[in-house]
């Protein structure tokens, strides 16, 4: 089980205090076999990673450029993230797909870049509300998995996060039946192309009060958490609510 926090564009060096509280409480989750990952804004990765050496919280980035280095003003490479202490990076988050026009092809290139640098790539997929209303959830998610997580990736360093776009930051979540159906579809797609099991996270308005129910769903191997990952008590509350799975 992996509980990953996506801090998005939140946090300053003052956030070390809250992160310190997460480190203090992390053993409550890690002692139960739950992996913890925090993805702060890029400017805080080194600081968090230095602090995290005393804990079992892994640190990740929120995006990376496909290239290793060069004339790409404002971008950050996977190699830079790794050198600053990250062990994972989120790619293809719906906010980047929407705000920066990221395509499945680009997301696949970013995932490959992450793995080239030794990072675990957390590839996000998920339908919009209009797509769900049009009955296209399964076809959209299947197409995203096919194109954003091609068989050329290393399954051992790959995680898929199913994040329905309409559930992100809205307080709304799909029913457990809907989560189960989409995760089963993703599992089947992954098994077609990889021999090694790949973790599938659910993301979208996960909080301590709904974590147990969502994380108990078959083929849900953890959560990608936005808003609730900013507070140690909420983040650890989610991790501690995770049921033991075989
Ligand atoms: C996210 O953006 O990855 C996310 C899951 O956000 P939230 O938990 O705030 O819905």
């Amino acid at each position: 089980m992996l509980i990953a926090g996506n801090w998005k564009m939140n946090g300053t060096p003052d956030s070390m205090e809250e992160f310190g509280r997460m480190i203090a409480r992390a053993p409550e989750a890690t002692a139960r076999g739950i992996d913890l990952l925090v993805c702060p804004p890029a400017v805080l990765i080194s600081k968090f990673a230095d602090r995290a050496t005393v804990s079992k919280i892994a640190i990740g980035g929120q995006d990376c450029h496909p290239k290793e280095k060069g004339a790409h003003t404002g971008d950050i490479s996977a190699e830079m993230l790794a050198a600053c202490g990250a062990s994972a990076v989120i790619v293809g988050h719906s906010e980047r797909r929407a705000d920066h026009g990221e395509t499945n092809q680009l997301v696949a290139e970013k995932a490959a870049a992450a793995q080239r640098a030794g990072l675990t790539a957390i590839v996000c997929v998920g339908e919009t509300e209009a797509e769900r209303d049009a009955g296209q959830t399964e076809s959209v998610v299947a197409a995203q998995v096919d194109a954003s997580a091609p068989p050329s990736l290393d399954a051992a360093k790959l995680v898929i996060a199913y994040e329905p776009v309409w559930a992100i930051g809205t307080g709304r979540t799909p029913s457990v039946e809907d989560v189960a159906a989409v995760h089963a579809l993703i599992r089947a797609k992954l098994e077609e192309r990889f021999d090694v099991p790949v973790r599938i996270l659910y993301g979208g308005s996960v909080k301590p009060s709904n974590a147990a129910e969502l994380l108990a769903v078959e083929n849900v191997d953890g959560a990608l958490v936005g808003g609730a990952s900013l507070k140690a008590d909420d983040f650890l509350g989610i991790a501690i609510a995770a049921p033991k799975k075989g």
Side-chain angles (χ1 to χ4, degrees), residues 121-139:
I122 303 176
V123 176
C124 299
V125 297
E127 80 286 1
T128 62
E129 185 149 36
E131 288 164 343
R132 171 159 288 251
D133 290 347
Q136 295 168 345
T137 298
E138 303 211 345
S139 60

mmCIF file of all heavy atoms in Angstrom, residues 121-139:
data_model
loop_
_atom_site.group_PDB
_atom_site.id
_atom_site.type_symbol
_atom_site.label_atom_id
_atom_site.label_comp_id
_atom_site.label_asym_id
_atom_site.label_seq_id
_atom_site.Cartn_x
_atom_site.Cartn_y
_atom_site.Cartn_z
ATOM 1 N N ALA A 121 7.931 6.336 -11.813
ATOM 2 C CA ALA A 121 6.995 7.238 -12.497
ATOM 3 C C ALA A 121 5.573 6.933 -12.029
ATOM 4 O O ALA A 121 5.119 5.792 -12.121
ATOM 5 C CB ALA A 121 7.094 7.027 -14.009
ATOM 6 N N ILE A 122 4.904 7.954 -11.507
ATOM 7 C CA ILE A 122 3.493 7.809 -11.116
ATOM 8 C C ILE A 122 2.666 8.461 -12.220
ATOM 9 O O ILE A 122 2.602 9.689 -12.332
ATOM 10 C CB ILE A 122 3.228 8.477 -9.754
ATOM 11 C CG1 ILE A 122 4.147 7.877 -8.687
ATOM 12 C CG2 ILE A 122 1.746 8.335 -9.369
ATOM 13 C CD1 ILE A 122 4.037 8.539 -7.319
ATOM 14 N N VAL A 123 2.090 7.635 -13.074
ATOM 15 C CA VAL A 123 1.372 8.123 -14.258
ATOM 16 C C VAL A 123 -0.107 8.286 -13.906
ATOM 17 O O VAL A 123 -0.773 7.330 -13.508
ATOM 18 C CB VAL A 123 1.527 7.127 -15.437
ATOM 19 C CG1 VAL A 123 0.697 7.583 -16.629
ATOM 20 C CG2 VAL A 123 2.997 6.974 -15.823
ATOM 21 N N CYS A 124 -0.619 9.518 -14.059
ATOM 22 C CA CYS A 124 -2.020 9.800 -13.700
ATOM 23 C C CYS A 124 -2.927 9.664 -14.924
ATOM 24 O O CYS A 124 -2.584 10.129 -16.021
ATOM 25 C CB CYS A 124 -2.160 11.218 -13.163
ATOM 26 S SG CYS A 124 -1.185 11.517 -11.680
ATOM 27 N N VAL A 125 -4.079 9.055 -14.692
ATOM 28 C CA VAL A 125 -5.117 8.946 -15.726
ATOM 29 C C VAL A 125 -6.461 9.252 -15.060
ATOM 30 O O VAL A 125 -6.575 9.200 -13.835
ATOM 31 C CB VAL A 125 -5.154 7.529 -16.354
ATOM 32 C CG1 VAL A 125 -3.852 7.204 -17.065
ATOM 33 C CG2 VAL A 125 -5.461 6.452 -15.306
ATOM 34 N N GLY A 126 -7.456 9.564 -15.865
ATOM 35 C CA GLY A 126 -8.785 9.805 -15.285
ATOM 36 C C GLY A 126 -9.655 10.611 -16.219
ATOM 37 O O GLY A 126 -9.159 11.434 -17.000
ATOM 38 N N GLU A 127 -10.952 10.352 -16.136
ATOM 39 C CA GLU A 127 -11.904 10.985 -17.046
ATOM 40 C C GLU A 127 -12.422 12.309 -16.479
ATOM 41 O O GLU A 127 -12.458 12.502 -15.272
ATOM 42 C CB GLU A 127 -13.089 10.035 -17.310
ATOM 43 C CG GLU A 127 -14.170 9.989 -16.232
ATOM 44 C CD GLU A 127 -13.773 9.237 -14.965
ATOM 45 O OE1 GLU A 127 -12.643 8.740 -14.875
ATOM 46 O OE2 GLU A 127 -14.605 9.174 -14.022
ATOM 47 N N THR A 128 -12.861 13.186 -17.374
ATOM 48 C CA THR A 128 -13.525 14.417 -16.950
ATOM 49 C C THR A 128 -14.987 14.101 -16.637
ATOM 50 O O THR A 128 -15.489 13.020 -16.968
ATOM 51 C CB THR A 128 -13.490 15.484 -18.058
ATOM 52 O OG1 THR A 128 -14.219 14.962 -19.180
ATOM 53 C CG2 THR A 128 -12.075 15.831 -18.482
ATOM 54 N N GLU A 129 -15.664 15.078 -16.062
ATOM 55 C CA GLU A 129 -17.085 14.870 -15.745
ATOM 56 C C GLU A 129 -17.898 14.681 -17.038
ATOM 57 O O GLU A 129 -18.785 13.826 -17.097
ATOM 58 C CB GLU A 129 -17.625 16.066 -14.958
ATOM 59 C CG GLU A 129 -19.040 15.833 -14.509
ATOM 60 C CD GLU A 129 -19.356 16.540 -13.204
ATOM 61 O OE1 GLU A 129 -18.850 17.654 -12.992
ATOM 62 O OE2 GLU A 129 -20.116 15.966 -12.412
ATOM 63 N N ALA A 130 -17.562 15.457 -18.069
ATOM 64 C CA ALA A 130 -18.312 15.334 -19.337
ATOM 65 C C ALA A 130 -18.120 13.940 -19.924
ATOM 66 O O ALA A 130 -19.062 13.337 -20.452
ATOM 67 C CB ALA A 130 -17.844 16.405 -20.324
ATOM 68 N N GLU A 131 -16.898 13.439 -19.837
ATOM 69 C CA GLU A 131 -16.630 12.093 -20.367
ATOM 70 C C GLU A 131 -17.396 11.037 -19.562
ATOM 71 O O GLU A 131 -17.954 10.100 -20.126
ATOM 72 C CB GLU A 131 -15.123 11.817 -20.353
ATOM 73 C CG GLU A 131 -14.373 12.631 -21.420
ATOM 74 C CD GLU A 131 -12.878 12.715 -21.217
ATOM 75 O OE1 GLU A 131 -12.380 12.430 -20.096
ATOM 76 O OE2 GLU A 131 -12.186 13.105 -22.165
ATOM 77 N N ARG A 132 -17.427 11.229 -18.230
ATOM 78 C CA ARG A 132 -18.196 10.267 -17.403
ATOM 79 C C ARG A 132 -19.677 10.323 -17.789
ATOM 80 O O ARG A 132 -20.317 9.296 -17.981
ATOM 81 C CB ARG A 132 -18.014 10.589 -15.914
ATOM 82 C CG ARG A 132 -18.956 9.762 -15.029
ATOM 83 C CD ARG A 132 -18.474 9.670 -13.606
ATOM 84 N NE ARG A 132 -17.324 8.812 -13.486
ATOM 85 C CZ ARG A 132 -17.321 7.606 -12.911
ATOM 86 N NH1 ARG A 132 -18.435 7.111 -12.421
ATOM 87 N NH2 ARG A 132 -16.226 6.900 -12.836
ATOM 88 N N ASP A 133 -20.209 11.556 -17.905
ATOM 89 C CA ASP A 133 -21.633 11.698 -18.228
ATOM 90 C C ASP A 133 -21.967 11.088 -19.587
ATOM 91 O O ASP A 133 -23.083 10.632 -19.823
ATOM 92 C CB ASP A 133 -22.037 13.185 -18.211
ATOM 93 C CG ASP A 133 -22.024 13.751 -16.799
ATOM 94 O OD1 ASP A 133 -21.950 12.947 -15.839
ATOM 95 O OD2 ASP A 133 -22.063 14.993 -16.650
ATOM 96 N N ALA A 134 -20.981 11.111 -20.479
ATOM 97 C CA ALA A 134 -21.205 10.555 -21.822
ATOM 98 C C ALA A 134 -20.956 9.038 -21.857
ATOM 99 O O ALA A 134 -20.972 8.432 -22.942
ATOM 100 C CB ALA A 134 -20.296 11.265 -22.827
ATOM 101 N N GLY A 135 -20.699 8.445 -20.696
ATOM 102 C CA GLY A 135 -20.487 6.996 -20.644
ATOM 103 C C GLY A 135 -19.139 6.559 -21.210
ATOM 104 O O GLY A 135 -18.981 5.412 -21.647
ATOM 105 N N GLN A 136 -18.168 7.506 -21.205
ATOM 106 C CA GLN A 136 -16.877 7.199 -21.849
ATOM 107 C C GLN A 136 -15.754 6.891 -20.860
ATOM 108 O O GLN A 136 -14.591 6.798 -21.256
ATOM 109 C CB GLN A 136 -16.448 8.407 -22.706
ATOM 110 C CG GLN A 136 -17.376 8.664 -23.869
ATOM 111 C CD GLN A 136 -17.118 10.015 -24.522
ATOM 112 O OE1 GLN A 136 -16.447 10.881 -23.945
ATOM 113 N NE2 GLN A 136 -17.668 10.212 -25.708
ATOM 114 N N THR A 137 -16.098 6.756 -19.575
ATOM 115 C CA THR A 137 -15.048 6.602 -18.562
ATOM 116 C C THR A 137 -14.062 5.492 -18.937
ATOM 117 O O THR A 137 -12.844 5.712 -18.969
ATOM 118 C CB THR A 137 -15.669 6.298 -17.177
ATOM 119 O OG1 THR A 137 -16.472 7.420 -16.816
ATOM 120 C CG2 THR A 137 -14.611 6.075 -16.124
ATOM 121 N N GLU A 138 -14.600 4.308 -19.215
ATOM 122 C CA GLU A 138 -13.701 3.173 -19.419
ATOM 123 C C GLU A 138 -12.870 3.332 -20.691
ATOM 124 O O GLU A 138 -11.678 3.024 -20.701
ATOM 125 C CB GLU A 138 -14.487 1.864 -19.400
ATOM 126 C CG GLU A 138 -15.242 1.742 -18.066
ATOM 127 C CD GLU A 138 -15.447 0.326 -17.558
ATOM 128 O OE1 GLU A 138 -15.260 -0.611 -18.352
ATOM 129 O OE2 GLU A 138 -15.787 0.178 -16.377
ATOM 130 N N SER A 139 -13.490 3.862 -21.753
ATOM 131 C CA SER A 139 -12.710 3.999 -22.997
ATOM 132 C C SER A 139 -11.626 5.073 -22.848
ATOM 133 O O SER A 139 -10.502 4.911 -23.339
ATOM 134 C CB SER A 139 -13.616 4.290 -24.192
ATOM 135 O OG SER A 139 -14.330 5.480 -23.987
#
